[in-house]
């Protein structure tokens, strides 16, 4: 049955190669920022409807989110599509390819369900907007769209291959320092310089990195520091993003960050205010049982999972709202190499529409489809996946 499912998946996808690659190319040509991905979501919806999927639009109050389904029984395998771009550089994170891989997988799984009637299950394709700081998957989680999902999968282009990458918990805060304005030349002693507080906090955070663990990350940017040189700034703002693999380590790092911020406020006699920005992602819990099935199919498809651009094992440390999904549903989020350029650069944008990138994306979509077929036909495998998930909760 496995060989038959593989043949069905291959055939269904190979006869649509031009169409499937065009989806990724058109999204790449029309980059849209988070929650504004109207062209991309419309294209994906039209493509899935033409393939015979039932469609729910505007899900969870998001105009660019959707849910497409085929089948009516369990297990329910969810394939996740992302399609938002980055400001100024377009698809520098390759989300056009994530959407393409999702459509490829959906076509393959649907074909198996149609041509192998003894196979039971449902394929759900979720269009998840705003991965870049918007948390579309979190909105879907809270609205219950993962409640009946047994397994969730997606793939992500990168500069390396890693079936079980480290995806960090990420939490962004906006820090405001409130001081007191004064004439900067005539009466500077009357003021309390909020910009000094921000600069001191920024420098302290930079120095903190020397004592951070290799898997911790800390980024900060001063977003407001005053308007005129002749006025002591009475308010400054700094955004800080704190990342760590697990909640326990995050709490330790947050304590160190808070000490830097508090000391800057005390030293400048400014008031410290902290608020959430809404960017708050959990770390990824890769399901290793599911990941090994995916790896097996990558090998059968002759996908090279080595890392030609890295002599050592890859240690890309990123964050995604897929982490939140993985805390609630057995999940995988493999990275696959499309070239040596790094994500979030114009060079990666250029890579994300090359023939090589589309070819490897098609292969990754096939691997997702074959993995889903295994989950649907092997109850013992599904039990093992769920057992690992419960054990590591």
């Amino acid at each position: 049955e496995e060989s038959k499912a593989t043949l069905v998946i291959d055939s269904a996808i190979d006869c649509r190669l031009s169409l499937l690659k065009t989806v990724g190319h058109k999204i790449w040509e029309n980059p849209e920022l988070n929650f504004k991905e109207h062209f991309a979501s419309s294209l994906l919806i039209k493509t899935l409807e033409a393939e015979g999927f039932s469609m729910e639009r505007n899900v969870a109050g998001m105009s660019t989110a959707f849910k497409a389904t085929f089948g009516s029984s369990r297990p329910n395998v969810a394939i996740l599509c992302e399609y938002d771009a980055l400001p100024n550089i377009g698809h520098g994170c390759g989300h056009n390819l994530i959407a393409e891989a999702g459509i490829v997988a959906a076509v393959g799984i649907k074909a198996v369900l149609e041509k192998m009637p003894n196979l039971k299950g449902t394929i759900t394709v979720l269009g998840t907007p705003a991965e870049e700081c918007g948390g579309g998957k979190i909105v879907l989680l809270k609205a219950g769209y993962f409640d009946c999902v047994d397994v969730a999968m997606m793939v992500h282009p990168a500069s390396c291959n890693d079936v079980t990458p480290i995806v960090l918990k990420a939490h962004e805060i906006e820090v405001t320092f409130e001081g007191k304005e004064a004439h900067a030349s005539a009466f500077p002693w009357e003021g309390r310089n909020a910009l000094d507080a921000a600069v001191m906090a920024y420098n302290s955070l930079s120095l903190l990195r020397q004592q951070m663990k290799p898997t911790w990350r800390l980024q900060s940017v001063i977003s407001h520091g005053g308007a005129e040189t002749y006025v002591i700034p009475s308010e400054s703002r700094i955004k800080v993003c704190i990342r760590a693999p697990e909640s326990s380590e995050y709490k330790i790092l947050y304590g160190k960050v808070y000490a830097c911020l508090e000391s800057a406020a005390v030293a400048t006699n400014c008031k410290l205010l902290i608020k959430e920005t809404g960017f708050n992602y959990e770390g990824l819990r890769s399901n290793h049982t599911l990941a090994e099935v995916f790896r097996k199919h990558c090998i059968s498809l002759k996908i090279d999972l080595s890392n030609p651009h890295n002599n050592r094992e890859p240690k890309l440390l990123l964050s995604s709202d897929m982490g939140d999904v993985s805390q609630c549903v057995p999940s995988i989020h493999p990275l696959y190499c499309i070239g040596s350029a790094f994500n979030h650069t114009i060079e990666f944008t250029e890579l994300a529409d090359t023939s090589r990138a589309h070819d490897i994306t098609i292969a990754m979509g096939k691997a997702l489809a074959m993995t889903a077929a295994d989950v649907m036909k092997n109850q013992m495998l599904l039990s093992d996946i769920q057992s690992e998930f419960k054990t590591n909760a």
Side-chain angles (χ1 to χ4, degrees), residues 25 66 114 159 203 224 267 323 363 366 379 382:
H25 170 68
F66 63 84
E114 286 180 320
S159 60
N203 288 335
H224 176 69
K366 287 183 177 181
Q379 180 58 47
L382 181 59

Side-chain angles (χ1 to χ4, degrees), residues 151 287 289-290 330 375 380-389:
V151 165
N287 189 281
T289 305
L290 185 60
V375 171
M380 184 63 70
L381 171 61
L382 181 59
S383 296
D384 289 345
I385 290 168
Q386 293 170 336
S387 177
E388 179 192 330
F389 180 76

Side-chain angles (χ1 to χ4, degrees), residues 141-355:
L141 269 171
K142 291 178 178 177
Y145 280 87
F146 287 91
D147 289 355
C148 295
V149 169
D150 296 293
V151 165
M153 300 189 292
M154 62 173 287
V155 291
H156 199 304
S159 60
C160 68
N161 292 300
D162 196 348
V163 175
T164 55
I166 298 174
V167 177
L168 303 175
K169 175 180 174 61
H171 183 199
E172 186 182 71
I173 55 176
E174 183 174 68
V175 178
T176 300
F177 292 102
E178 292 184 350
K180 185 179 184 300
E181 70 283 346
H183 194 293
S185 180
F187 313 106
W189 56 86
E190 293 292 334
R192 299 194 302 275
N193 197 316
L195 177 57
D196 283 350
V199 170
M200 186 175 293
Y202 182 91
N203 288 335
S204 296
L205 293 170
S206 296
L207 292 171
L208 174 60
R209 293 192 182 97
Q210 187 180 20
Q211 279 75 47
M212 281 171 35
K213 291 184 177 181
T215 53
W216 294 359
R217 290 292 184 271
L218 185 60
Q219 299 91 29
S220 56
V221 60
I222 297 175
S223 55
H224 176 69
E228 304 294 346
T229 59
Y230 48 80
V231 179
I232 297 290
S234 62
E235 182 178 285
S236 65
R237 290 187 295 277
I238 178 170
K239 284 187 176 181
V240 184
C241 187
I242 307 157
R243 306 180 197 238
E246 298 175 357
S247 293
S248 58
E249 292 189 30
Y250 165 80
K251 290 177 182 177
I252 295 170
L253 181 55
Y254 183 86
K256 296 176 181 291
V257 168
Y258 185 82
C260 292
L261 302 175
E262 185 180 42
S263 63
V266 170
T268 57
N269 196 23
C270 289
K271 184 178 180 181
L272 170 64
L273 301 171
I274 298 175
K275 71 174 184 178
E276 309 285 329
T277 66
F279 177 31
N280 188 5
Y281 294 171
E282 292 297 325
L284 179 72
R285 288 173 56 196
S286 290
N287 189 281
H288 290 268
T289 305
L290 185 60
E292 286 309 307
V293 177
F294 178 81
R295 187 193 301 275
K296 175 191 73 173
H297 287 298
C298 286
I299 293 170
S300 74
L301 290 164
K302 296 182 169 48
I303 299 172
D304 184 4
L305 293 178
S306 65
N307 286 289
H309 307 294
N310 299 280
N311 293 325
R312 297 176 297 173
E313 282 296 303
K315 291 297 178 188
L316 285 187
L317 301 178
L318 47 91
S319 299
S320 169
D321 53 0
M322 186 63 178
D324 294 77
V325 175
S326 75
Q327 300 295 326
C328 302
V329 178
S331 303
I332 57 171
H333 180 281
L335 304 181
Y336 65 99
C337 180
I338 63 169
S340 58
F342 295 110
N343 297 61
H344 289 212
T345 63
I346 191 66
E347 291 80 10
F348 198 87
T349 302
E350 293 166 356
L351 274 182
D353 193 43
T354 58
S355 295

Side-chain angles (χ1 to χ4, degrees), residues 15-61:
C15 71
R16 295 170 172 82
L17 282 181
S18 178
L19 168 68
L20 296 170
K21 290 180 180 180
T22 297
V23 169
H25 170 68
K26 285 185 175 179
I27 294 175
W28 183 88
E29 275 191 322
N30 297 274
E32 300 163 300
L33 301 183
N34 57 4
F35 294 119
K36 298 178 181 178
E37 316 93 329
H38 297 286
F39 174 86
S41 60
S42 177
L43 176 62
L44 294 170
I45 287 169
K46 289 176 182 176
T47 303
L48 288 165
E49 284 184 326
E51 290 294 329
F53 282 78
S54 300
M55 186 63 62
E56 181 182 348
R57 295 172 170 79
N58 305 314
V59 301

